Amino acid sequence: MLGLVRLLLLIVVVQTIVYAFVGFYLRASLRERLEARWERERPPLPRDRFVQNGLDAARPRHRRWLIGVVYVVPLVFLVGLIAVLEAV
């Protein structure tokens, strides 16, 4: 049982690291896309304000997506795998 707790703790730590790296990558790529869009369209807002508004608008969507992909999907896969292996 102690081994399972250690494994789960290790999995959560690795998932948190992946969450952070993917979050930074998504934010950087979104920033680049927003800056390119500002260059093409030249809206009346200053560039920094335009980019910040876009980042703020996308933050909740990215957070939900990241939590689902990094934490929920692997957990569901692991539980499903254990259920299938136990049934065999």
Side-chain angles (χ1 to χ4, degrees):
M1 188 64 171
L2 187 59
L4 179 63
V5 171
R6 282 189 210 160
L7 177 64
L8 290 176
L9 183 62
L10 178 64
I11 288 172
V12 169
V13 168
V14 170
Q15 285 175 323
T16 303
I17 292 169
V18 169
Y19 178 88
F21 282 129
V22 173
F24 287 133
Y25 174 77
L26 282 176
R27 187 169 171 88
S29 64
L30 178 60
R31 179 180 292 276
E32 288 177 7
R33 286 194 314 264
L34 287 168
E35 288 174 351
R37 183 175 162 200
W38 187 87
E39 289 292 329
R40 279 192 320 270
E41 297 175 7
R42 294 290 180 169
L45 287 174
R47 183 174 141 195
D48 294 337
R49 175 58 33 208
F50 179 79
V51 170
Q52 190 60 43
N53 288 347
L55 290 173
D56 291 343
R59 183 176 295 143
R61 185 180 63 232
H62 280 164
R63 184 173 294 138
R64 282 191 305 268
W65 183 83
L66 268 176
I67 288 171
V69 169
V70 174
Y71 289 106
V72 176
V73 170
L75 179 64
V76 169
F77 176 76
L78 186 60
V79 168
L81 183 64
I82 290 171
V84 168
L85 291 177
E86 287 293 324
V88 172

